[in-house]
Amino acid sequence: MEFYEAISKRRTVREFLDKEVDFEIIKRILEAGNKAPTWNHNRNWSYIILRTDEEKEYAFEYAKKIADKFDADKYLNAPRPYPTTLAQKMYGYAMPRQFTMLKSAPYVVIPVFKCKELNGQYVSKLNPFSTIWCVIENIFLAATAEGLGCSMRIPLNEEHDIVKAKLKVPPTYMIPVFIGIGYADPEETVLEQNMADLEKQLHFGRWK
């Protein structure tokens, strides 16, 4: 797949086909992740791979509780002094699928990066966090180029520490995201996207 085509086709997937994925493809995707830039040149990243239903249910118990208690109809139809926004529609669609979009994926990849805690005092203090997201974007694009789709859940609140403890991640590492990888269900609902206007985003020399 041509590079710009992969960028254009990449989207978050929340429904997967019940179709096996060759693990050699997953390895190619993760090799693409490893090609990302790294702030300290050490590439202190590792990947936890979940394959079975039992592994996913154990790891994502918190996500299942969040999804099970979310009432999409109540949320989307709540009285508002304004029309339901695109972001709210997406939230209402995504929240009930926070567990199933991981469990139904043939593989869940959990990248971990070396960092005891995040320190946002200066932008440069977030270098480890910034570079792992370069890894993640490479994974997304490589999966798209392979004809696969990715779901994405960022750990919510204490979920990070809960999953980290369950999976015995070393204390000097952090988890940025959980990524489900598989063949996207072509029948999945695709919500409208808010497309940016590049011309309005450009500022030459200074902001104004």
Side-chain angles (χ1 to χ4, degrees):
M1 185 180 295
E2 195 264 345
F3 178 70
Y4 285 99
E5 182 183 2
I7 291 178
S8 178
K9 287 188 173 181
R10 190 219 63 78
R11 68 178 181 84
T12 301
V13 171
R14 297 185 178 89
E15 303 283 349
F16 292 96
L17 296 176
D18 184 13
K19 182 178 178 181
E20 186 176 344
V21 176
D22 187 341
F23 188 63
E24 290 302 312
I25 298 177
I26 300 297
K27 289 167 67 175
R28 282 202 299 270
I29 291 169
L30 298 184
E31 287 288 4
N34 279 342
K35 297 296 192 299
T38 173
W39 73 281
N40 63 358
H41 309 287
N42 288 329
R43 291 184 161 79
N44 292 319
W45 313 314
S46 289
Y47 307 97
I48 297 172
I49 312 295
L50 305 183
R51 296 167 292 184
T52 69
D53 286 349
E54 292 76 16
E55 289 172 338
K56 297 167 196 170
E57 288 169 1
Y58 176 68
F60 304 126
E61 182 180 8
Y62 186 98
K64 187 175 188 304
K65 288 180 180 178
I66 293 292
D68 286 348
K69 73 179 184 180
F70 185 82
D71 187 332
D73 288 336
K74 181 178 179 180
Y75 172 79
L76 291 172
N77 296 309
R80 295 184 176 91
Y82 55 85
T84 303
T85 67
L86 177 58
Q88 288 168 334
K89 291 177 183 178
M90 289 185 170
Y91 187 78
Y93 175 77
M95 283 305 295
R97 295 168 173 79
Q98 291 301 293
F99 173 68
T100 57
M101 71 181 187
L102 296 172
K103 184 180 177 182
S104 65
Y107 290 96
V108 173
V109 173
I110 304 176
V112 297
F113 64 107
K114 195 166 188 179
C115 182
K116 290 183 180 181
E117 61 181 4
L118 294 179
N119 181 350
Q121 181 181 8
Y122 303 107
V123 172
S124 62
K125 295 284 188 181
L126 295 173
N127 280 341
F129 187 65
S130 300
T131 53
I132 191 62
W133 276 97
C134 293
V135 174
I136 293 162
E137 183 63 14
N138 275 15
I139 289 172
F140 290 160
L141 293 176
T144 303
E146 293 281 358
L148 299 171
C150 294
S151 60
M152 173 179 63
R153 176 172 172 80
I154 297 172
L156 179 66
N157 302 328
E158 65 266 31
E159 182 179 13
H160 174 273
D161 291 345
I162 291 172
V163 177
K164 181 176 172 177
K166 283 189 171 192
L167 301 184
K168 302 187 185 304
V169 176
T172 54
Y173 282 77
M174 297 188 73
I175 300 171
V177 70
F178 313 127
I179 305 171
I181 302 180
Y183 290 98
D185 183 347
E187 301 300 317
E188 181 184 6
T189 300
V190 179
L191 275 68
E192 178 188 356
Q193 295 288 317
N194 183 21
M195 303 304 294
D197 183 344
L198 179 61
E199 294 301 321
K200 294 180 179 179
Q201 295 174 301
L202 299 177
H203 304 271
F204 297 97
R206 60 182 180 177
W207 188 270
K208 291 183 178 180

